[in-house]
Amino acid sequence: MTQARSLTFMALLGAVLPVCLLVVLTLIQTGGVWEYALDDVYIHLAMSEQVAKGAYGVNSGESASASSSILYSYILAPFAGFGWHAYVPLAIGLLALLWAAVLWARLLAASEIWTDPVWDKALLALALLGPVFLHFPAMSLIGMEHMLHVCIALLVALGLIRLAQDGQVRWYLLAAILLNPLLRFEGIALALFACGVLVIGGRGRIALLALVATALPLAAHFANMNALGLDMLPNSVNAKAVVVGGGADVVDGAGSDRLVAFKNSLKLSLISPSGRMLAGLVLCLFFLVLAQRKSFSRLQIALGVTAMLAALAHLLLGSVLPFYRYEIYVWSFGAAVTVYLLAQLQLVTPTAKQLRAVFPVVALVIAGLHYPLTTLEKLPAGSAAIHAQQRQMGRFVDDYWQAPVAVNDLGHVAYRNPHYVLDLWGLASARALEARTSRTDPLWADKLAQEYDVGAAMVYRHWLADHIPPGWQPVARLKLTVPRGTLGGNIVTIYATRPESLKPLEDALRAFAPTLPASATLEFL
């Protein structure tokens, strides 16, 4: 008989051992320096510095919504004055990893069948393999809010399963519904569908209370954004999402026709292994609910439909491409719900019972195989590349240039930098985002650079292409000697944005060049 303690031990083992291996591999590749595999975490850190000062943005005195999470920058803000501030996201990720492993074990324990030892063995295998094939190890080390969001999604799953079992509404279910949209905007769909399950379960008043409690902080945030003159959605969302904004610059027809935008979003999703994985999850749940609609209770059917709709919503509105991190919450939620529903099947023959036990283990490994493969390929290498490029760019601005600068990949350069950083991609600048995506003024970047007294720009040339003003003089290229990992490019071109900054920029770069690590070189033009 599988015990909850055994499941918890196996889940923690499956979570902690891969993380230890990844930390060792990362330190080997970075030469003993800890670095995150995504530069985006430094946007959260830079935002939290301003939040700690009572502002909201990246640059002092300028409001901007560069963070993809409402809550995460506020969580980091109390630690902004300490030297170890940059390691707080790592600590949060590791604590969330342990929490998620325990929640995964509790969800599996809720699916236990007391008379089926074959199923008990399958649960032990799922406990051990789950963290790896649900992408927990990588998500705990990148410093972003995704691991916390996984925990909240698993809490929703656990609360709904308990509701289906005994009809009781746990406090943590309501708390998780409230926190879902605050950690990630994609969580709005899961929160709404969870409230729908409460209504079906005869808890309409509690569902209404949960909706109001969820809407109030969202409304307060949107009102604050409006007061600051910002868009309701963060620029990071508008710059990346196909349907809501930034994708209109990438996908033909998305800006003018929402139906075409949804179609293109789904098409882009299904190109990705994670998109096909979510589509397979939807199909699996659909046939499971359809086949057992007479034996499942209303709440069990509602739970399956919730997982289906949440996955579909993410396929249509969310992203599944960069490092496969945005969809983890709904994948974890859907996997937990699927295992629970499989446990409710009324089977008689030994063969059917064995197939039920084998299926979730095999399906989890096949569907989530790209996660450990991608992690091993990109996480240590990504950390080494970030250290060689983005950290060095930040060090150059802080120690050598010491003046305003323009970039198209915000993060290290903005963090702990007292000088103005012009974000040409638009995450920290609504004006730059609008100018870049509208394409109405070919000289918009030069005008913004002059307005903010920016004398140097460090950009991926292929990102901005024809947006680079013809008057900007290329001075040098920062090139990687290691794989680019998770970076947007392996060459950063450094420009003087005006003639009078050409000589000071070249002098600063020549002083900086000898201090570069072996993983990067500076080539003067």
Side-chain angles (χ1 to χ4, degrees):
M1 195 71 68
T2 303
Q3 300 295 326
R5 234 179 241 184
S6 299
L7 289 171
T8 301
F9 173 77
M10 296 298 282
L12 287 171
L13 196 65
V16 172
L17 287 183
V19 164
C20 292
L21 173 63
L22 290 171
V23 169
V24 170
L25 291 176
T26 297
L27 293 176
I28 289 173
Q29 293 214 25
T30 60
V33 178
W34 174 255
E35 184 56 85
Y36 298 104
L38 290 177
D39 193 47
D40 299 44
V41 63
Y42 293 99
I43 300 176
H44 288 300
L45 288 165
M47 287 280 295
S48 70
E49 288 182 308
Q50 296 302 315
V51 168
K53 299 174 184 177
Y56 194 81
V58 171
N59 296 296
S60 297
E62 181 182 66
S63 297
S65 55
S67 175
S68 54
S69 168
I70 295 174
L71 199 57
Y72 198 50
S73 295
Y74 289 96
I75 295 174
L76 300 176
F79 311 100
F82 298 96
W84 38 267
H85 181 220
Y87 297 101
V88 174
L90 177 62
I92 291 174
L94 293 176
L95 289 173
L97 171 72
L98 300 178
W99 187 18
V102 171
L103 287 172
W104 175 246
R106 290 190 63 185
L107 282 158
L108 294 177
S111 306
E112 199 165 31
I113 306 169
W114 302 105
T115 58
D116 191 345
V118 178
W119 181 255
D120 290 346
K121 292 177 182 177
L123 291 184
L124 284 172
L126 287 170
L128 180 66
L129 298 174
V132 174
F133 293 96
L134 294 174
H135 210 18
F136 289 1
M139 294 301 99
S140 67
L141 294 177
I142 60 173
M144 300 292 284
E145 69 275 12
H146 300 289
M147 200 65 237
L148 271 179
H149 195 207
V150 166
C151 293
I152 300 304
L154 290 178
L155 270 182
V156 173
L158 184 61
L160 293 179
I161 286 173
R162 294 302 188 199
L163 175 66
Q165 288 175 330
D166 59 20
Q168 299 299 311
V169 179
R170 270 69 174 182
W171 66 268
Y172 57 78
L173 171 60
L174 302 180
I177 289 173
L178 168 66
L179 289 171
N180 247 286
L182 296 180
L183 277 171
R184 294 287 306 178
F185 283 93
E186 297 97 325
I188 292 176
L190 187 56
L192 289 175
F193 297 142
C195 287
V197 177
L198 288 174
V199 172
I200 293 172
R203 299 294 189 273
R205 291 183 180 179
I206 296 178
L208 180 60
L209 175 65
L211 282 174
V212 172
T214 302
L216 285 177
L218 286 175
H221 173 74
F222 293 147
N224 184 41
M225 294 300 99
N226 185 64
L228 295 174
L230 301 174
D231 193 88
M232 286 200 306
L233 289 176
N235 286 346
S236 56
V237 174
N238 288 327
K240 296 176 183 178
V242 171
V243 175
V244 297
D249 188 40
V250 180
V251 182
D252 293 337
S256 58
D257 187 341
R258 291 295 175 188
L259 290 177
V260 173
F262 281 118
K263 177 184 174 182
N264 286 328
S265 179
L266 183 60
K267 188 184 299 183
L268 286 176
S269 293
L270 295 179
I271 291 173
S272 160
S274 285
R276 295 192 294 270
M277 173 192 74
L278 289 184
L281 176 67
V282 171
L283 290 174
C284 177
L285 286 165
F286 174 77
F287 288 116
L288 186 58
V289 170
L290 184 65
Q292 298 295 316
R293 63 188 183 280
K294 293 182 180 179
S295 59
F296 281 174
S297 69
R298 283 191 310 162
L299 281 174
Q300 288 168 349
I301 292 174
L303 189 54
V305 172
T306 293
M308 277 190 282
L309 293 177
L312 279 173
H314 192 92
L315 282 171
L316 291 172
L317 294 169
S319 175
V320 293
L321 293 174
F323 203 29
Y324 309 126
R325 56 193 171 102
Y326 297 114
E327 77 284 354
I328 300 304
Y329 76 103
V330 75
W331 169 231
S332 302
F333 178 87
V337 169
T338 302
V339 172
Y340 169 71
L341 292 179
L342 282 171
Q344 310 313 305
L345 295 178
Q346 302 299 319
L347 302 174
V348 178
T349 66
T351 302
K353 290 181 178 180
Q354 289 177 349
L355 287 174
R356 173 179 59 186
V358 170
F359 173 75
V361 178
V362 174
L364 178 71
V365 172
I366 293 176
L369 183 61
H370 63 290
Y371 287 139
L373 294 178
T374 301
T375 298
L376 286 172
E377 177 190 357
K378 288 195 172 183
L379 193 136
S383 297
I386 294 287
H387 176 72
Q389 185 186 94
Q390 298 294 320
R391 183 182 283 266
Q392 304 312 315
M393 289 166 60
R395 196 168 60 83
F396 169 70
V397 174
D398 291 345
D399 299 339
Y400 294 88
W401 182 239
Q402 298 181 341
V405 66
V407 297
N408 65 227
D409 200 11
L410 200 64
H412 251 305
V413 176
Y415 181 48
R416 288 182 172 167
N417 177 11
H419 306 287
Y420 187 84
V421 179
L422 173 61
D423 179 17
L424 298 174
W425 198 248
L427 272 64
S429 173
R431 294 175 61 192
L433 177 62
E434 171 63 25
R436 179 177 64 81
T437 55
S438 65
R439 296 180 176 271
T440 56
D441 184 357
L443 297 177
W444 65 268
D446 193 51
K447 292 176 181 177
L448 287 177
Q450 301 306 319
E451 180 180 341
Y452 291 104
D453 194 28
V454 171
M458 303 186 293
V459 301
Y460 297 134
R461 184 165 186 150
H462 65 282
W463 274 30
L464 290 174
D466 55 341
H467 292 289
I468 297 175
W472 287 12
Q473 176 66 42
V475 178
R477 282 197 288 256
L478 180 65
K479 304 174 73 173
L480 294 179
T481 60
V482 294
R484 79 177 200 178
T486 52
L487 286 170
N490 58 356
I491 298 176
V492 174
T493 304
I494 304 171
Y495 293 86
T497 63
R498 54 194 181 205
E500 58 269 27
S501 67
L502 180 59
K503 183 65 166 58
L505 179 58
E506 185 175 350
D507 291 343
L509 286 169
R510 292 197 180 280
F512 167 67
T515 70
L516 284 170
S519 51
T521 61
L522 197 64
E523 175 189 281
F524 287 89
L525 304 176

